């Protein structure tokens, strides 16, 4: 596939992006704004709302740099994929993938286990510098 065709295939049908304070209030606002945007686009709220809540909470808790915000971005990509991105200012601190174990509860890491369950794909990428972006994609069913 050529670069032009590949970009066209992944061009956003809808796009929303907003900076938010890296606080619990900012994380809550991310969830509320995402729900409103999904509603406006005629998309189901769940499980996307849960993915946004977990990624925003992680940005406020683990990605916080005093005086810096995090950015929530929602995009609907062709053919039918919702992409959620949360970029925070702690580019040097990447989340680790944890596995549920029978050995007992861990102190943290369950939020990304939930993201992994709700999302069809998720990962982390460097940038925009000096940030990192944690992303998740949810395949939307037909007719949504």
């Amino acid at each position: 596939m050529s670069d032009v065709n590949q970009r066209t295939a992944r061009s956003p049908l809808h796009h929303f992006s907003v900076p938010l304070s890296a606080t619990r209030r900012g994380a809550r606002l991310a969830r509320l704004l995402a729900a409103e945007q999904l509603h406006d686009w005629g998309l189901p709220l769940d499980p996307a709302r849960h993915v946004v809540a977990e990624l925003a909470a992680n940005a406020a808790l683990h990605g916080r740099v005093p005086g810096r915000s995090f950015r929530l971005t929602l995009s609907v990509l062709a053919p039918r994929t919702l992409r959620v991105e949360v970029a925070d200012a702690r580019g040097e601190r990447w989340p680790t993938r944890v596995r549920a174990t029978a050995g007992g509860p861990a102190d943290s890491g369950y939020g990304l286990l939930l993201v992994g369950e709700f999302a069809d794909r998720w990962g982390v990428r460097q940038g925009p510098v000096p940030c990192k972006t944690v992303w998740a994609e949810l395949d939307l069913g037909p007719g949504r």
Side-chain angles (χ1 to χ4, degrees):
M1 182 183 285
S2 74
D3 287 342
V4 172
N5 289 340
Q6 192 172 21
R7 274 187 307 226
T8 302
R10 298 293 285 181
S11 295
L13 302 172
H14 299 289
H15 184 78
F16 172 80
S17 187
V18 63
L20 297 159
S21 66
T23 62
R24 286 187 295 170
R25 176 179 263 168
R28 181 175 181 270
L29 186 55
R31 182 179 51 81
L32 295 172
L33 290 172
E36 183 66 28
Q37 197 61 54
L38 293 168
H39 175 75
D40 287 351
W41 290 342
L43 298 175
L45 300 182
D46 295 324
R49 178 171 42 183
H50 300 300
V51 170
V52 169
E54 292 299 336
L55 296 183
N58 283 350
L61 180 63
H62 303 294
R64 185 172 190 273
V65 171
R68 299 283 309 272
S69 61
F70 71 90
R71 177 169 292 276
L72 168 67
T73 302
L74 303 173
S75 301
V76 177
L77 308 171
R80 300 289 297 155
T81 301
L82 174 66
R83 184 173 176 98
V84 176
E85 296 182 344
V86 175
D88 68 51
R90 295 291 300 267
E92 80 288 355
R93 188 173 183 185
W94 284 38
T96 56
R97 293 180 186 258
V98 296
R99 299 192 193 286
T101 62
D107 291 336
S108 65
Y110 288 111
L112 290 177
L113 282 174
L114 290 174
V115 170
E117 288 297 315
F118 289 133
D120 294 290
R121 293 163 297 286
W122 77 273
V124 185
R125 66 175 171 80
Q126 189 67 45
V129 175
C131 301
K132 71 169 172 302
T133 299
V134 182
W135 59 269
E137 290 184 342
L138 294 89
D139 294 332
L140 304 172
R144 293 199 169 161

